[in-house]
Amino acid sequence: MENVITIDGPAGAGKSTVSKAVAARLQYVYLDTGALYRALAYKALKHTINVNSSAELAELCSTTDVTLKNIDGKITVYIDGNDVGDKIRTEEVGLAASTISAFPVVREKLLSLQREAGACGGIVAEGRDMGSVVFPDAQFKFFLDANIEERIRRRRTELIQKNGPAGLDSISRDMQARDHQDSQRKTAPLTVSPNAIIIDSTSLEASQVVEIILERISGRHA
Ligand code: DC
């Protein structure tokens, strides 16, 4: 698929910052697919739905309207007509999103939405299965990684900026749980696509990762 760039990787690897910047530089739209899972998880938590019950999740999926709206190049997720905004950016919602994302009924509900968003190209899509499942024919695929200590540090800095203090132990626990769930699930696990370019961002600034990606895309790399 021409002009489709996928960026997959574990939580805290810097995917969002990098994907947004790459999209801005190329004047592409940016699709944050984690926001779709988070939005559905947010509704599940709000309605005290059991996030481990496939029957309850099937009911949630069949009664929830999820849409994507492109407003000035920024794709926003709407659940039942409402933009959930920053309420989905907590560790609690992230962990619940990881849990529900293992259920095929949830993945199926969100698959066509993601593909429609990329149908015309000009997109940077970020997530776990962008290169493996959603856009297997993407023109460029990247896998962004970083060691767990660095990912925990980054997530903590981000949470402190947003909500105030964030305990290292709970972030570490949540991240390890998410790593495990996201990579061990049967349906569309986090994996490196065979033709993906792997970038280890542990000792790189986000701006350096952006340059590496842009160089690869333009064929300027050595
Ligand atoms: O990228 P994120 O941390 O906002 O994603 C939250 C969770 O959603 C993640 O732990 C697993 C799930 N997810 C997924 O299964 N597939 C995607 N393409 C994106 C996110």
Side-chain angles (χ1 to χ4, degrees):
M1 288 177 86
E2 280 285 298
N3 305 331
V4 174
I5 298 167
T6 62
I7 303 186
D8 289 306
K15 296 187 302 297
S16 300
T17 311
V18 165
S19 303
K20 264 184 223 163
V22 170
R25 289 275 289 274
L26 296 171
Q27 296 188 312
Y28 283 10
V29 293
Y30 160 59
L31 177 65
D32 167 13
T33 61
L36 286 165
Y37 293 92
R38 283 173 180 266
L40 213 47
Y42 174 76
K43 179 173 174 184
L45 292 175
K46 206 169 152 204
H47 292 256
T48 55
I49 283 164
N50 178 353
V51 293
N52 288 295
S53 157
S54 61
E56 289 192 33
L57 290 173
E59 171 74 12
L60 172 74
C61 287
S62 67
T63 54
T64 302
D65 176 45
V66 186
T67 46
L68 293 174
K69 284 188 196 161
N70 182 342
I71 300 166
D72 299 329
K74 185 179 180 295
I75 299 182
T76 304
V77 181
Y78 285 77
I79 286 275
D80 300 324
N82 300 310
D83 171 5
V84 282
D86 276 349
K87 286 184 278 205
I88 61 171
R89 303 288 164 197
T90 65
E91 284 304 275
E92 186 195 15
V93 174
L95 191 56
S98 168
T99 304
I100 68 165
S101 70
F103 289 84
V105 67
V106 170
R107 304 205 75 83
E108 257 160 50
K109 173 155 182 90
L110 302 176
L111 182 61
S112 55
L113 271 175
Q114 298 169 68
R115 288 201 173 137
E116 276 162 29
C120 300
I123 192 167
V124 178
E126 171 219 324
R128 303 294 187 286
D129 61 338
M130 296 299 99
S132 55
V133 175
V134 180
F135 301 114
D137 301 322
Q139 191 177 10
F140 296 101
K141 298 182 188 179
F142 294 91
F143 188 92
L144 190 54
D145 208 351
N147 73 26
I148 182 118
E149 291 80 18
E150 177 61 14
R151 292 190 287 118
I152 291 168
R153 195 193 63 75
R154 289 179 192 168
R155 184 48 53 92
R156 183 160 183 259
T157 308
E158 193 186 315
L159 288 173
I160 289 171
Q161 277 165 3
K162 280 184 187 151
N163 314 318
L168 209 53
D169 286 350
S170 69
I171 297 173
S172 166
R173 237 188 349 262
D174 288 355
M175 194 162 283
Q176 288 184 54
R178 277 218 281 156
D179 278 1
H180 182 77
Q181 288 186 154
D182 295 349
S183 55
Q184 300 304 314
R185 67 180 177 227
K186 286 203 180 75
T187 315
L190 171 66
T191 179
V192 183
S193 294
N195 47 353
I197 297 162
I198 302 172
I199 301 173
D200 182 347
S201 75
T202 306
S203 54
L204 297 173
E205 297 290 328
S207 59
Q208 293 175 297
V209 178
V210 171
E211 289 311 320
I212 292 170
I213 290 177
L214 291 172
E215 279 175 18
R216 286 289 188 153
I217 289 170
S218 64
R220 280 183 281 131
H221 71 283

